[in-house]
Amino acid sequence: MFDWTHDPHRRFNPLTREWVLVSPHRTDRPWQGQTEEKAVDTEPAYDPKCYLCPGNSRAGGVRNPAYTSTFVFDNDFAALKPDTPVERFDQDGLLQAESEPGICRVVCFSPRHDLTLAGMELASLRQVVDTWADQYAELGAIPWVRYVQIFENRGAMMGASNPHPHGQIWSNERVPNEPAKETQQQHAYTTARGGCLLCDYLALELRDGQRIVCQNEHFVALVPFWAVWPFETLVLPRAHHGALTDLAPDARDGLADMLRRLTRRYDQLFQISFPYSMGLHQRPTDGAPYPEWHLHAHFYPPLLRSATVRKFMVGYELLGQPQRDITPEGAAERLRALSE
Ligand code: H2U
Ligand code: ZN
């Protein structure tokens, strides 16, 4: 008899059409490989050497204002530039390249150097949500900007350059790979079956319950059935909204509350300020309506079994397909057991 909690199997991600291998029987295998340094989290409220703290100078000499809530500025080392000249290259369809204009910004979540999303007050988190919504609207309104990617790299393990609470926004002319796959898949689902892929998925998860982590009136956090990272989560609005700008004030409060509750749970899992990459996926901003698009946030944390042992995406993951040991249901159960 096949046992889903023990026997190897693969699961389908309907947002990307990709499969993930699940090998639950391996969860107890020994680990003698690399361990991470356990981060010591004693940051001052203000760091005179931090390039994100209020009033300090950034690389290149610009001085930050004495900001008191959120603060947005153009990235001094932007990966994309708005005035990139238009160029295209195509050799036999095998060598293709095209110029890519874009705008990159940095968003400081708080003037306090020592805070994280988990430690911020609800009202300040709501400011972050409003700032993201305003940036999505402002950048998305630029005629050539077709996609606005809001994200946060949290923790040195994820490549964050600074503990000061901040995220980034990259907006560019062509929809990047991940949201392009999701656009295609949500559209195909609506065309074939009517309804919305993520509305239907959320209804199913709420009936089932075993992958739900926490919920409030407006948002639900769950470990998706097809999660790749051990403690990956998906944050979904209960109502069908395609972008942050569609959220009414009470739903924005709901998102702020969900971010706080989820990150507080994460911090308790291994008793450290939990590293992750998180980002919002919203409808493209090329002017088409995208009625099938359902706003959501992905959290991709790298840690596997403790503060010092991380999941590597190597070998079979790189060459074959992603693989996980602990089941999504087991991960959800552990996250659910923690307090907020
Ligand atoms: P990360 O921690 O996710 O790398 O984000 C910090 C960003 O801040 C990074 O993209 C930018 C870097 O380019 N930055 C500035 O814009 N100005 C500075 O003075 C230093 C860092
Ligand atoms: Zn700082």
Side-chain angles (χ1 to χ4, degrees), residues 58-201:
R58 302 204 304 270
V62 186
R63 189 171 286 280
N64 297 326
Y67 66 96
T68 53
S69 63
T70 60
F71 168 54
V72 182
F73 64 91
D74 283 330
N75 196 313
D76 300 307
F77 304 95
L80 296 162
K81 298 186 178 299
D83 51 2
T84 304
V86 179
E87 189 53 280
R88 233 194 110 73
F89 176 75
D90 188 336
Q91 192 171 328
D92 297 336
L94 286 172
L95 308 185
Q96 295 189 45
E98 49 197 18
S99 51
E100 183 64 28
I103 298 170
C104 297
R105 291 184 175 163
V106 177
V107 183
C108 296
F109 298 155
S110 162
R112 282 271 302 273
H113 185 82
D114 57 337
L115 294 182
T116 63
L117 291 184
M120 284 168 62
E121 298 292 334
L122 216 46
S124 314
L125 281 168
R126 170 60 196 278
Q127 284 283 338
V128 174
V129 171
D130 285 344
T131 302
W132 284 337
D134 293 348
Q135 289 292 318
Y136 173 82
E138 183 188 316
L139 292 163
I142 298 170
W144 53 266
V145 170
R146 297 206 175 89
Y147 197 77
V148 179
Q149 182 59 57
I150 297 170
F151 64 99
E152 177 193 10
N153 289 320
R154 167 87 207 132
M157 203 186 292
M158 290 311 282
S161 58
N162 185 330
H164 194 113
H166 70 283
Q168 297 191 45
I169 304 177
W170 294 23
S171 51
N172 53 318
E173 186 169 339
R174 278 70 161 231
V175 182
N177 298 346
E178 294 305 311
K181 283 184 259 181
E182 294 189 352
T183 302
Q184 154 76 31
Q185 283 304 100
Q186 291 179 95
H187 180 72
Y189 184 93
T190 301
T191 306
R193 302 176 53 166
C196 155
L197 193 164
L198 286 175
C199 282
D200 290 357
Y201 174 62

Side-chain angles (χ1 to χ4, degrees), residues 50 52-53 113 164:
C50 168
L52 297 177
C53 274
H113 185 82
H164 194 113

